[in-house]
Amino acid sequence: MESSDVVIVGAGIVGAAVARRLALGGFRVTVLDRGASAGGTSSSGEGNLLVSDKGPGAELDLAVLSGRRWAEFAAELPAELGPGFPDIEFEAKGGLVVATTATGADALLAFADTQRSAGVDARPVTAAEAAELEPDLTPRVAAAVFYPDDAQVQPSVATEALLASARRHGARLRQGVTVLGGVVSGGRLVGVDTTAGRFGAEHTVVAAGPWSAEVAGNFGVRLPVLPRRGTVVVTTRMPRRIRHKVYDADYVGAVESELAALQTSSVVESTAAGTVLIGSSRERRGFDERIEAAVVGELAAKALILFPFLADVPVMRAYGGFRPFVPDHLPVIGPDPRLPGLWHATGHEGAGIGLSVGTAELIGALMTGVEPEIPAAPFAVTRESLRKVTTG
């Protein structure tokens, strides 16, 4: 039996961030994944690091903390991993949220006002100022807000970088290993049984994204994480004409919605590689992997409202993935008192890339008995808003 202080189930960006934080803290860490690292949700997103889509509260606090940690990590990475490691493409380019209707404008400006009350740098700009930020933006701007703290990374490379850093500090990564169940002794989870044998650990962290409910279920614990499908359209490469992350004001409502039916809003941004990413869709339909032409068409049509020039830009491909949805729209982070030794770091839905390093900070503080920088109670699996779905 292999043993370590911590077993992390899931080698996506959240598991990678937790592994790095704990390894840096002196824990002996083993990361297990039934597939390849960054092979699930982490490879199917846009790499967003956002504060612009979050209202005052616990998730915004986590996003602000994470933003600071991402900037630090991006600065530390070249010296730590060497010049031969791929660039994580951290870009603090800012975000521009645009409303094209009077109703949308009122809602956007009111939302930005609540964010400013929580300390977010949310700057209303005129249509002329929006055009200076984005010269190819539609002239149909009823209101716009600029968020200088929004940023982006290349999510797959960032995941591999976090894992590489964790491994440099002693963490082990085992791929192609499926967790089958837990090893319980004296009412405490003390390890996991897998297709590669038994791994003993004082702590087991479930960071398996939309598959976290399945993993927790193998330990006899109910966890209300469901897959929420998303699709992204990618254009061919071209000279950069979109300078920031730009999305319509409907995006925030889609993020916060509990509806299972398809919802789309326009989210458009360039990448360092020269492509343009076009989202965003949300739909709960289990683990159905099909890419549907109707969804791609709807995303493209809404993107043209913001940037009409995209009508002449060919689409190269579309891809999709599953985001870990939790009914009250907050991730589940911390220990599970129903089974001592079990921890959760999941349920971030579409914000997992951005919130990963802040999540790792919370797990690291709680596991070592240190007071976290932000309150951890709102993310607890025992919180009132989840009580019925975890015990019912």
Side-chain angles (χ1 to χ4, degrees):
M1 179 179 71
E2 297 188 36
S3 63
S4 53
D5 299 320
V6 183
V7 162
I8 298 171
V9 184
I13 198 160
V14 174
V18 173
R20 179 179 188 263
R21 172 63 177 80
L22 294 179
L24 283 168
F27 287 88
R28 294 177 301 131
V29 177
T30 299
V31 182
L32 307 177
D33 200 295
R34 64 184 177 186
S37 54
T41 302
S42 299
S43 63
S44 60
E46 298 171 74
N48 296 326
L49 316 178
L50 305 183
V51 295
S52 56
D53 62 341
K54 299 169 182 64
E59 189 181 26
L60 179 58
D61 294 341
L62 185 60
V64 171
L65 171 61
S66 297
R68 293 199 303 269
R69 292 294 178 267
W70 269 116
E72 293 167 2
F73 177 61
E76 295 165 0
L77 180 63
E80 184 178 351
L81 299 182
F85 200 91
D87 186 3
I88 67 169
E89 300 177 15
F90 175 80
E91 188 177 4
K93 61 185 177 182
L96 183 66
V97 186
V98 177
T100 57
T101 66
T103 300
D106 291 341
L108 171 60
L109 295 176
F111 181 70
D113 188 53
T114 66
Q115 291 177 300
R116 281 191 298 277
S117 70
V120 173
D121 190 353
R123 307 176 187 179
V125 294
T126 65
E129 291 169 332
E132 289 181 8
L133 291 167
E134 292 289 345
D136 288 305
L137 184 67
T138 177
R140 296 165 49 195
V141 175
V145 179
F146 179 59
Y147 292 86
D149 293 332
D150 278 358
Q152 184 180 14
V153 293
Q154 207 296 331
S156 295
V157 178
T159 301
E160 296 296 348
L162 288 163
L163 284 171
S165 175
R167 294 170 75 179
R168 283 178 62 89
H169 292 90
R172 295 178 297 172
L173 172 63
R174 296 287 303 273
Q175 298 175 321
V177 176
T178 300
V179 173
L180 303 174
V183 181
V184 178
S185 177
R188 180 181 180 85
L189 184 65
V190 295
V192 296
D193 283 322
T194 78
T195 52
R198 179 167 290 184
F199 292 80
E202 183 180 356
H203 308 284
T204 298
V205 182
V206 175
W211 297 275
S212 293
E214 175 186 338
V215 175
N218 288 336
F219 304 144
V221 168
R222 185 176 182 185
L223 190 66
V225 176
L226 298 170
R228 202 178 193 193
R229 175 75 172 172
T231 301
V232 177
V233 176
V234 187
T235 72
T236 55
R237 295 181 180 182
M238 63 179 182
R240 177 169 288 200
R241 295 176 65 177
I242 300 172
R243 304 173 181 178
H244 307 84
K245 178 183 179 67
V246 183
Y247 60 87
D248 69 57
D250 290 339
Y251 177 75
V252 173
V255 169
E256 295 181 346
S257 172
E258 297 183 11
L259 296 177
L262 175 67
Q263 299 169 81
T264 61
S265 56
S266 187
V267 183
V268 187
E269 61 192 316
S270 296
T271 69
T275 60
V276 174
L277 304 181
I278 299 171
S280 156
S281 71
R282 281 172 164 76
E283 184 179 15
R284 294 214 313 273
R285 62 185 203 195
F287 285 102
D288 184 347
E289 297 182 347
R290 290 174 297 173
I291 301 291
E292 296 183 341
V295 176
V296 172
E298 193 168 321
L299 292 176
K302 289 192 173 182
L304 294 180
I305 295 174
L306 290 179
F307 290 102
F309 83 89
L310 289 173
D312 299 321
V313 179
V315 168
M316 179 170 62
R317 66 187 180 99
Y319 65 90
F322 303 105
R323 302 159 178 148
F325 169 84
V326 175
D328 65 356
H329 300 285
L330 275 180
V332 183
I333 305 168
D336 193 325
R338 297 171 297 178
L339 181 60
L342 175 62
W343 295 68
H344 302 292
T346 187
H348 302 80
E349 202 181 324
I353 305 299
L355 300 181
S356 59
V357 290
T359 297
E361 288 297 311
L362 284 181
I363 293 288
L366 293 170
M367 200 170 283
T368 55
V370 175
E371 185 71 22
E373 290 189 43
I374 63 173
F379 306 104
V381 71
T382 54
R383 62 188 185 252
E384 186 61 33
S385 54
L386 283 189
R387 192 177 302 277
K388 290 183 179 180
V389 286
T390 55
T391 61

